[in-house]
Every structure is written in C-alpha cells, then in structure tokens.
Coordinates of all heavy atoms in Angstrom, one line a residue:
H7 N 23.6 7.7 -37.3 CA 22.5 7.2 -36.3 C 21.2 7.8 -36.6 O 20.2 7.2 -36.5 CB 23.0 7.5 -34.9 CG 22.0 7.0 -33.9 ND1 21.6 5.7 -33.7 CD2 21.4 7.7 -32.8 CE1 20.8 5.7 -32.6 NE2 20.6 6.9 -32.2
V8 N 21.2 9.1 -37.0 CA 20.0 9.8 -37.4 C 19.4 9.1 -38.6 O 18.1 9.0 -38.6 CB 20.3 11.3 -37.6 CG1 19.1 12.0 -38.2 CG2 20.7 12.0 -36.3
R9 N 20.1 8.8 -39.5 CA 19.6 8.1 -40.7 C 19.1 6.7 -40.3 O 18.0 6.4 -40.8 CB 20.7 7.9 -41.7 CG 21.0 9.2 -42.5 CD 21.9 8.9 -43.7 NE 23.2 8.2 -43.3 CZ 24.3 8.9 -43.2 NH1 24.3 10.2 -43.2 NH2 25.4 8.3 -42.9
A10 N 19.7 6.0 -39.3 CA 19.2 4.7 -38.9 C 18.0 4.8 -38.2 O 17.1 3.9 -38.2 CB 20.3 4.1 -38.1
L11 N 17.8 5.9 -37.4 CA 16.5 6.0 -36.7 C 15.4 6.2 -37.7 O 14.2 5.8 -37.3 CB 16.7 7.3 -35.8 CG 17.5 7.2 -34.6 CD1 17.6 8.5 -33.8 CD2 17.0 6.0 -33.6
R12 N 15.5 6.8 -38.8 CA 14.5 6.9 -39.7 C 14.3 5.7 -40.6 O 13.2 5.7 -41.2 CB 14.8 8.2 -40.7 CG 14.9 9.5 -39.9 CD 15.3 10.6 -40.8 NE 15.3 11.9 -40.1 CZ 15.7 13.1 -40.7 NH1 16.0 13.1 -42.0 NH2 15.8 14.2 -40.0
A13 N 15.2 4.8 -40.7 CA 15.2 3.7 -41.6 C 14.3 2.6 -40.9 O 14.2 2.5 -39.7 CB 16.5 3.2 -41.9
A14 N 13.7 1.7 -41.8 CA 13.0 0.6 -41.3 C 13.9 -0.5 -40.9 O 15.1 -0.6 -41.3 CB 12.0 0.1 -42.3
P15 N 13.4 -1.5 -40.0 CA 14.3 -2.6 -39.7 C 14.7 -3.3 -41.0 O 14.0 -3.3 -42.0 CB 13.4 -3.5 -38.9 CG 12.4 -2.5 -38.2 CD 12.2 -1.4 -39.3
P16 N 15.9 -3.9 -41.0 CA 16.3 -4.6 -42.3 C 15.5 -5.9 -42.6 O 14.8 -6.4 -41.7 CB 17.8 -5.0 -41.9 CG 17.8 -5.1 -40.4 CD 16.8 -4.1 -39.9
P17 N 15.5 -6.3 -43.8 CA 14.8 -7.6 -44.2 C 15.3 -8.8 -43.4 O 16.5 -8.8 -43.0 CB 15.0 -7.6 -45.7 CG 15.5 -6.3 -46.1 CD 16.2 -5.7 -45.0
A18 N 14.5 -9.7 -43.4 CA 14.9 -11.0 -42.7 C 16.0 -11.7 -43.5 O 16.0 -11.7 -44.8 CB 13.7 -12.0 -42.5
P19 N 17.0 -12.3 -42.8 CA 18.0 -13.0 -43.6 C 17.4 -14.2 -44.4 O 16.4 -14.7 -44.0 CB 19.0 -13.5 -42.5 CG 18.7 -12.7 -41.3 CD 17.2 -12.3 -41.5
R20 N 18.1 -14.6 -45.4 CA 17.6 -15.7 -46.3 C 17.6 -17.0 -45.5 O 16.7 -17.8 -45.6 CB 18.4 -15.8 -47.5 CG 18.0 -16.8 -48.5 CD 18.9 -16.8 -49.8 NE 18.8 -15.6 -50.4 CZ 19.6 -15.3 -51.5 NH1 20.4 -16.2 -52.0 NH2 19.4 -14.0 -52.1
R21 N 18.6 -17.2 -44.7 CA 18.8 -18.4 -44.0 C 18.6 -18.1 -42.5 O 19.6 -17.8 -41.8 CB 20.1 -19.2 -44.2 CG 20.2 -19.6 -45.7 CD 21.6 -20.2 -46.0 NE 21.7 -20.6 -47.4 CZ 22.0 -19.9 -48.4 NH1 22.3 -18.6 -48.2 NH2 22.2 -20.3 -49.6
L22 N 17.4 -18.1 -42.0 CA 17.2 -17.8 -40.6 C 17.8 -18.8 -39.6 O 18.2 -18.4 -38.5 CB 15.7 -17.7 -40.3 CG 15.0 -16.5 -40.8 CD1 13.4 -16.6 -40.6 CD2 15.5 -15.2 -40.1
H23 N 18.0 -20.0 -40.1 CA 18.5 -21.0 -39.1 C 20.0 -20.8 -38.8 O 20.5 -21.4 -37.9 CB 18.3 -22.4 -39.6 CG 19.1 -22.6 -41.0 ND1 18.6 -22.2 -42.2 CD2 20.3 -23.1 -41.2 CE1 19.6 -22.5 -43.1 NE2 20.6 -23.0 -42.6
R24 N 20.7 -19.8 -39.5 CA 22.0 -19.5 -39.2 C 22.2 -18.5 -38.1 O 23.3 -18.2 -37.6 CB 22.7 -19.1 -40.4 CG 22.9 -20.2 -41.5 CD 23.8 -19.7 -42.6 NE 24.1 -20.8 -43.5 CZ 24.8 -20.7 -44.6 NH1 25.4 -19.5 -44.9 NH2 24.9 -21.7 -45.5
L25 N 21.0 -17.9 -37.7 CA 21.2 -16.9 -36.6 C 21.5 -17.6 -35.3 O 21.3 -18.8 -35.1 CB 19.8 -16.2 -36.4 CG 19.5 -15.2 -37.6 CD1 18.1 -14.6 -37.4 CD2 20.5 -14.1 -37.8
P26 N 22.1 -16.9 -34.2 CA 22.4 -17.4 -33.0 C 21.2 -18.2 -32.3 O 21.4 -19.2 -31.7 CB 22.9 -16.3 -32.2 CG 23.4 -15.4 -33.2 CD 22.5 -15.5 -34.3
D27 N 20.0 -17.6 -32.5 CA 18.8 -18.2 -31.9 C 17.8 -18.3 -33.0 O 17.4 -17.3 -33.6 CB 18.2 -17.3 -30.8 CG 19.2 -17.1 -29.5 OD1 19.6 -18.2 -29.1 OD2 19.4 -16.0 -29.2
S28 N 17.3 -19.5 -33.3 CA 16.3 -19.7 -34.3 C 15.5 -21.0 -33.9 O 15.9 -21.8 -33.2 CB 17.0 -19.9 -35.6 OG 17.9 -21.0 -35.6
D29 N 14.3 -21.0 -34.6 CA 13.4 -22.2 -34.3 C 12.4 -22.1 -35.4 O 12.2 -21.2 -36.1 CB 12.8 -22.0 -32.9 CG 12.2 -23.4 -32.4 OD1 12.3 -24.4 -33.1 OD2 11.8 -23.4 -31.3
E30 N 11.6 -23.2 -35.5 CA 10.5 -23.4 -36.4 C 9.3 -23.8 -35.6 O 9.3 -24.7 -34.8 CB 10.7 -24.4 -37.5 CG 11.8 -24.0 -38.5 CD 12.0 -24.9 -39.6 OE1 11.4 -26.0 -39.5 OE2 12.7 -24.6 -40.7
L31 N 8.1 -23.1 -35.9 CA 6.9 -23.4 -35.3 C 5.8 -23.7 -36.2 O 5.7 -23.0 -37.3 CB 6.4 -22.1 -34.4 CG 7.4 -21.4 -33.5 CD1 6.8 -20.2 -32.9 CD2 7.8 -22.5 -32.4
A32 N 5.1 -24.8 -36.0 CA 4.0 -25.3 -36.9 C 2.7 -24.8 -36.3 O 2.4 -24.9 -35.2 CB 4.1 -26.7 -37.1
T33 N 1.9 -24.4 -37.2 CA 0.5 -23.8 -36.8 C -0.4 -24.0 -38.0 O -0.1 -24.0 -39.2 CB 0.6 -22.3 -36.5 OG1 -0.7 -21.9 -36.2 CG2 1.1 -21.5 -37.6
P34 N -1.7 -24.3 -37.5 CA -2.7 -24.5 -38.7 C -3.2 -23.2 -39.3 O -3.9 -23.2 -40.3 CB -3.9 -25.3 -37.9 CG -3.6 -24.9 -36.5 CD -2.2 -24.8 -36.3
L35 N -2.7 -22.1 -38.7 CA -3.2 -20.8 -39.2 C -2.5 -20.5 -40.6 O -1.4 -21.0 -40.8 CB -2.7 -19.7 -38.3 CG -3.4 -19.6 -36.9 CD1 -2.8 -18.6 -36.0 CD2 -4.9 -19.3 -37.0
P36 N -3.1 -19.8 -41.4 CA -2.5 -19.4 -42.7 C -1.4 -18.4 -42.3 O -1.2 -17.8 -41.3 CB -3.6 -18.7 -43.4 CG -4.6 -18.3 -42.4 CD -4.6 -19.4 -41.4
G37 N -0.4 -18.2 -43.4 CA 0.7 -17.4 -43.1 C 0.5 -16.0 -42.6 O 1.0 -15.6 -41.7
P38 N -0.4 -15.2 -43.3 CA -0.7 -13.8 -42.9 C -1.2 -13.8 -41.4 O -0.9 -12.9 -40.6 CB -1.6 -13.3 -43.9 CG -1.4 -14.1 -45.1 CD -1.1 -15.5 -44.6
A39 N -2.0 -14.8 -41.1 CA -2.7 -14.8 -39.7 C -1.6 -15.1 -38.7 O -1.6 -14.6 -37.6 CB -3.8 -15.8 -39.7
A40 N -0.7 -16.0 -39.0 CA 0.3 -16.4 -38.1 C 1.3 -15.1 -37.9 O 1.7 -14.9 -36.7 CB 1.2 -17.5 -38.6

C-alpha cells in the first residue's frame, strides 16, 4: 500500500468501452483542450 500511494494512477485501458461505465463525447475542441 505504501508503494501504491507513491505510484501514479495506471494507464487507461486499451478498450475503454469494456469498462462497466463508459461513453463517448463529441466536442469541437482539440484533444489537449478537451
């Protein structure tokens, strides 16, 4: 647990749509701004 407190959150899964809660949002903003 001490090591986990110092670690960063894990990377995003390759297939986000397989998570229990997922969605897609369209926006005219560029990726970094979104």
Side-chain angles (χ1 to χ4, degrees):
H7 181 56
V8 171
R9 289 193 297 267
L11 289 176
R12 298 177 179 179
R20 182 177 302 176
R21 297 176 178 85
L22 285 174
H23 62 277
R24 293 188 178 181
L25 292 177
D27 297 312
S28 61
D29 200 355
E30 290 187 349
L31 307 177
T33 176
L35 293 173

